[in-house]
Amino acid sequence: MEINFNSPCHVYFIGIGGISMSGLASILLSRGYKVSGSDRTKSELTKDLEASGAKIYYGQEESHITEDVDFIVYTAAIREGNPEYDFMMSSDIPHMTRAEFLGQLMKLYNVPIAVSGTHGKTTTTSMISEILLGNDCDPTLSNGGIIQSIGSNIRVGGPEYFLFEACEYTNSFLSFFPKISVILNIEEDHLDFFKDIDDIRNSFAKFAALLPSDGLLVINGEIEGVERILGAINCPYVTYGSTDKYDYYPSDITYDEMGHPSFICHVKKTGESFSVKLGVTGMHNVLNSLASIAVAFHLGLDIQKTTSALTACSGSKRRFEIRGSFDGVTVVDDYAHHPTEIEATLKAARNYPHNDLWVVFQPHTYTRTKAFLKDFVKALALADHVVVAKTYEAREKDIYGVNSVTLYDELKKIGVDCYYFSTFEEIEKFLHKNCVNGDLLITMGAGDVVNIADSLTS
């Protein structure tokens, strides 16, 4: 189905409350479309959509899809057995996945910019968002998290720039049509879909190959097997990395009292060097900022406005987000749910003022926990104390023989001060009793573990 965006109609979203789906629904509302949809529970995102005129149902039933619906958009998480999905598949109503719809939407813009990678997509998208806004580019933005400066994951702007996250899960990013693509890193993840790391690299190579001959690939030159990606493209590329082997690289990295890095950015092609101070923590964000700067240089944006935007950028929600404190304990929440992300966050925390470092970790899916069990143990061991919460099941059931208790047992085996509780209430009581003034507590995971941080600081 080819959508005529100049002829608004009635679109139904199955899973409208998702961070990406809600953004797409907002864009359609701004273009005069009638929007309806469903989700499991009410949220701030669905409330905002309702305030903008969307009709949203809570719970999913066939009857919600009314006769005047012209086409349906659904997420990859919606599958056979869902009443609305089953009705959609048996009906004559045109339908497409979220990724297919996003791919068609980006054709409306002159410069679609896709940010991909196993880690760091949301933060890097936030950085580039702030750069575009700081340079008065009037971008349309679709992020996987809330951009702090605008208080939303979505912004509807002009027809020139459309910046969005490009997720590899289920190969959804192969439905896109970017003019500029960023590849931050390539590691094993989503092994409930991909066979192995070679399968993942193959998908990223196909994604890079989508770029037109007048496009640009911005890629982390330190990615293992990067030559495979570069061999797939028919357009210019630039690399970034931690040494002077790459087109964009840092030197003289220091950290302030809150763990925010400052460094000198070097641009090999022009010979330019300039100072950068970030508003987010960690060496991993130094690299993310280099990718963002490379995009800004390609677009010819003002470097002073670009560096100022990076300083002002405090990231997005749930990325080393300070939520408050209790009894003198600083509480941070972080979305990290892969071992590499956990390690990066805990290393960044070393530069943040604290006595003992506590982590409440909620594993996200059983398949991920099983696939990376040893790596989770190694990464979490960087904390002084670890509390393991019950696994956030998402789309899975506990049938894989590995769960939160397994992770707890493995951490105990290597001498980590570790605890397991099956309920958030038990965890909160334990933390009130054992955390002391000056400690740093990080709630960590892609599920609802953030509720612990909110409860402790309320």
Side-chain angles (χ1 to χ4, degrees), residues 361 363 373 376-377 380 388 403-411:
F361 179 62
L373 182 62
F376 277 124
V377 172
L380 289 167
V388 180
N403 54 31
S404 292
V405 176
T406 314
L407 177 59
Y408 160 77
D409 289 338
E410 293 299 312
L411 285 163

Side-chain angles (χ1 to χ4, degrees), residues 38-295:
S38 64
D39 217 294
R40 290 182 296 177
T41 57
K42 187 182 289 284
S43 67
E44 291 303 315
L45 293 174
T46 59
K47 290 177 185 177
D48 288 344
L49 288 173
E50 288 177 311
S52 298
K55 171 65 177 176
I56 300 181
Y57 303 92
Y58 297 99
Q60 290 170 328
E61 300 293 339
E62 174 183 327
S63 60
H64 297 162
I65 304 175
T66 54
E67 291 183 358
D68 62 331
V69 169
D70 294 296
F71 72 90
I72 299 171
V73 180
Y74 65 100
T75 71
I78 302 297
R79 300 174 182 175
E80 187 176 351
N82 179 289
E84 293 182 0
Y85 178 90
D86 291 344
F87 174 73
M88 173 186 72
M89 299 303 290
S90 64
S91 74
D92 295 326
I93 303 174
H95 54 269
M96 63 184 66
T97 65
R98 177 201 63 85
E100 290 168 337
F101 176 75
L102 179 56
Q104 291 205 30
L105 182 67
M106 64 186 62
K107 292 179 181 179
L108 298 176
Y109 298 85
N110 295 326
V111 186
I113 305 170
V115 180
S116 73
T118 312
H119 324 292
K121 293 185 292 294
T122 299
T123 298
T124 306
T125 304
S126 294
M127 288 180 174
I128 301 174
S129 296
E130 298 292 2
I131 289 169
L132 293 173
L133 291 168
N135 280 274
D136 301 317
C137 294
D138 191 25
T140 294
L141 309 172
S142 179
N143 199 14
I146 302 299
I147 302 169
Q148 299 281 32
S149 65
I150 63 174
S152 176
N153 68 307
I154 193 74
R155 179 186 188 272
V156 179
E160 185 68 13
Y161 300 106
F162 182 26
L163 173 66
F164 55 94
E165 276 195 35
C167 182
E168 73 275 17
Y169 184 55
T170 68
N171 280 330
S172 62
F173 63 177
L174 300 185
S175 297
F176 299 162
F177 302 92
K179 187 74 174 287
I180 300 172
S181 289
V182 178
I183 300 180
L184 300 167
N185 37 65
I186 301 174
E187 294 188 31
E188 285 185 308
D189 198 10
H190 301 301
L191 295 178
D192 58 329
F193 176 77
F194 293 108
K195 296 176 183 178
D196 50 30
I197 185 62
D198 194 58
D199 190 22
I200 296 170
R201 290 184 183 127
N202 184 54
S203 286
F204 273 94
K206 290 179 179 178
F207 169 68
L210 296 174
L211 286 163
S213 59
D214 60 344
L216 178 75
L217 175 65
V218 177
I219 189 166
N220 183 344
E222 298 176 333
I223 292 173
E224 184 178 351
V226 69
E227 298 82 7
R228 179 174 178 178
I229 307 298
L230 299 180
I233 64 175
N234 184 35
C235 69
Y237 69 88
V238 294
T239 61
Y240 69 91
S242 57
T243 73
D244 61 6
K245 289 174 55 179
Y246 307 105
D247 297 317
Y248 293 80
Y249 64 94
S251 68
D252 305 285
I253 302 171
T254 60
Y255 296 87
D256 67 14
E257 67 280 1
M258 302 304 287
H260 300 142
S262 295
F263 62 96
I264 304 298
C265 176
H266 302 274
V267 183
K268 188 176 291 186
K269 182 177 180 179
T270 64
E272 292 177 75
S273 299
F274 47 88
S275 298
V276 180
K277 178 175 175 54
L278 300 183
V280 290
T281 60
M283 178 61 195
H284 60 295
N285 279 321
V286 172
L287 294 175
N288 290 338
S289 71
L290 291 175
S292 305
I293 291 168
V295 172

